[in-house]
Amino acid sequence: MERTAANTAFGNVLVNTLIANVTTSFLWFALTFWVYIETQSVLATGIIGGAYMLFVAFFAMMFGTIVDRHRKHTVMVISSVISAGAFLIAGLLYIWQPEAALLDLGGPWFWLFSGIILFGGVIEQLRNIALSTTVTLLVPEEKRANANGLVGTVQGIAFLVTSVFSGLSIGFLGMGWTLAIAIAAMAVTFAHLLFIRIPEENPVADPNGAGAVDFRGSVRAIRLAPGLFALIVFSTFNNLIGGVYMALMDPYGLTLFDAQMWGFALAFSSTGFLIGGALVAKFGLGAKPMRTMLLVVIAMGLLGSVFMLREWWPLYVIGMWAYMALVPPVEAAEQTVIQKVVPFERQGRVFGVAAAMEAAAAPITAFLIAPLADLLIIPYMDSAEGQRQWGWLLGEGEARGIALICLFAGLVMVVAATLAFFTRSYRKLTDLYATTPGNDPQAGSDPRVDSDAQVDSIGQAESAADAVPTADAVPAGESVPTGESAPTGGPPTAAARATAVGSSSPSLPSARSSEPEDDPAASEAASPR
């Protein structure tokens, strides 16, 4: 494949992704604003945000299998058509039913209307998984971290545009015209996509893959990369904490601003995405992207715990800006590691598993925190007792309950990222990333796409190697993936996008003890995340 053709294709895919992200995020933001303004219910916005992530978790593994079995351009076309169809159905429903029925939280039409819009937005995850594998397909290994940063920059531009126009559209035009704009924009996305050509051979069928959801193929690919499961679990935990922000950040912002001004505040904050993504695109992630990711997550936790300590809009907006600037490095680090250590033929399924696990975490806290905040913590902080106990730290204001929850959520994130530095999984995956040669999908299909029997023998070899005392070097069984060939946006609310989640190695225990180690999978499951 000519590199110039690859560069052209990658640029066109980024532009098309920008249009698609703007459209789906525009309508999703607008729905969130519209529901909160009309109902003033934190519970409703929390449930809507959690339902979005639940849909992503439900469909992500299926999406990953689809990406591995079809050409990436075909997958993107499918995504555009289904999203446009969902938005068109939502528009017809809006015309058919009065707004009062669509806003009745106790009636069926609210949940049907919101669910259709959510489904159209969730289908965008199919495109995002395809985009992650397209980076591996079109970009050389030494530039993939930079390309992932460029993807983050494009997502930041989409967030910037969306944040402004969603608030303006709901404030001045209403939900009806907002739906019409989204439908027209999806038609433009589809038309532009028809003119894009991605140089790619037809995918070779995996003889071991079966069913619409190839979970076994995903597990095989993850098992071949020691420490990869721990990375996915850590990102899942990070999203578990992120569910708190997903449920509460928009209601907090709409407490400080009206819909139009909140849109402008989000637009300013989203320039942090541009800065963070541009820095990654320019400088990469260093020789140890795992180390970079954990350090950035610690900084995110500290920011998340302090930018609501006072109900002062400059503190909140600047804090969000800094928080969002840290999101692209975290997302790019995870993508860069997976793109290097997982075979191209299975990357879609691995990205699908990661998206499913990470997306499933946020609804848990969103569904728990939203009613907890609405019914217990916010009323408590409005009481004289709550203000007397926490006023010295959180000051005064009508949203001090939200500030208290986010304070503790950020501190939990800091502790989790710090403990992750001292896990064996962190050391193993860092060493594996350093020793695995770059994957080249254009070199042909990987002849070592392993059968079940081969993977079982690899797992036995790793267990035997782990039983032998070694220093910090990678165990013998971990060298298996080194010759393999290979190829997110994100949730649409401010909080969901903000929580997506080198030089020298950190100070770690210098050597393993002489005691035999446990099975790697069991050890990873027991390690602190």
Side-chain angles (χ1 to χ4, degrees), residues 138-155:
L138 301 177
V139 180
E141 188 275 330
E142 66 274 9
K143 291 294 183 180
R144 284 177 195 152
N146 307 79
N148 289 325
L150 192 58
V151 170
T153 301
V154 168
Q155 293 172 342

Side-chain angles (χ1 to χ4, degrees), residues 13 66-78 126-127 129-134 137 193 198 200-201 203 344 348 487:
V13 167
I66 292 172
V67 168
D68 280 344
R69 292 179 179 176
H70 299 84
R71 293 174 55 126
K72 308 306 173 273
H73 182 268
T74 302
V75 171
M76 293 179 181
V77 169
I78 293 172
L126 179 60
R127 174 193 293 271
I129 293 174
L131 178 62
S132 295
T133 62
T134 302
L137 177 69
L193 193 58
I198 298 178
E200 178 189 9
E201 299 294 331
F344 176 62

Side-chain angles (χ1 to χ4, degrees), residues 26-41:
F26 169 77
L27 188 55
W28 168 238
F29 266 70
L31 175 67
T32 305
F33 294 168
W34 183 62
V35 169
Y36 184 77
I37 291 169
E38 297 294 336
T39 67
Q40 295 295 307
S41 174

Side-chain angles (χ1 to χ4, degrees), residues 27 59 140 153 171 189 209 241 243 249 265 294 338 346 360 464 467 497 509:
L27 188 55
F59 287 107
T153 301
T189 302
I241 302 301
M249 283 181 69
L294 293 180
I338 292 176
R346 288 188 177 138
R497 285 188 180 275

Side-chain angles (χ1 to χ4, degrees), residues 297-309:
V297 169
I298 290 173
M300 290 175 69
L302 292 173
L303 277 170
S305 64
V306 301
F307 66 75
M308 297 185 195
L309 289 182

Side-chain angles (χ1 to χ4, degrees), residues 468-479:
V468 179
T470 62
D472 276 333
V474 179
E478 296 181 14
S479 62

Side-chain angles (χ1 to χ4, degrees), residues 15 45 54 56-57 94 101 110 140 148 153 186 238 263 284 299 357 422 430 446 468 494:
V15 171
T45 56
L54 200 60
V56 172
Y94 183 85
F110 170 80
N148 289 325
T153 301
M186 286 307 302
N238 197 34
M357 292 180 62
F422 300 96
T430 299
D446 189 350
V468 179

